[in-house]
């Protein structure tokens, strides 16, 4: 059985007011392909800043978008192969 390892790196940043958190998720495949997704979380101005909540929401959204991109790309590749037969 062959094992592969894919690595995801996640960068998190906040704006100067701690109102917007941005997460960038980048997946590197064993074959050297790079897939990237960016997402944001915005704090309601009436809510107090709570460390970590924006991080979790932004990262969760970035990973969800990354997963959707991978599913779409895989489906397109399968579709392309089906047309070759």
């Amino acid at each position: 059985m062959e094992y592969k390892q894919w690595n995801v790196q996640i960068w998190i940043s906040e704006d100067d007011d701690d109102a917007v958190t941005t997460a960038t998720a980048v997946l590197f495949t064993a074959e050297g392909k790079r897939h990237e997704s960016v997402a944001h979380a915005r704090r309601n101005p009436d809510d107090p800043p709570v460390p970590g909540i924006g991080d979790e929401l932004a990262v969760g959204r970035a990973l969800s978008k990354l997963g959707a991109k991978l599913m779409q790309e895989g489906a397109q590749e399968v579709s392309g192969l089906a047309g070759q037969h």
Side-chain angles (χ1 to χ4, degrees):
M1 177 177 273
E2 179 183 353
Y3 291 93
K4 297 179 185 181
Q5 179 174 332
W6 290 9
N7 295 299
V8 176
Q9 293 183 347
I10 299 172
W11 290 270
I12 304 167
S13 63
E14 295 178 351
D15 68 350
D16 292 335
D17 299 329
D18 292 331
V20 178
T21 302
T22 301
T24 303
V26 181
L27 168 70
F28 300 95
T29 69
E31 296 80 23
K33 288 183 80 175
R34 183 181 188 278
H35 303 273
E36 181 177 323
S37 181
V38 177
H40 308 280
R42 290 174 180 78
R43 180 175 55 85
N44 183 320
D46 296 332
D47 292 341
V50 178
I53 292 176
D55 295 354
E56 291 170 346
L57 291 170
V59 170
R61 291 172 181 160
L63 290 172
S64 180
K65 287 174 65 174
L66 184 61
K69 285 182 180 182
L70 291 170
M71 295 290 291
Q72 181 179 12
E73 184 174 312
Q76 289 173 346
E77 289 177 3
V78 168
S79 179
L81 289 173
Q84 293 179 3
H85 297 289

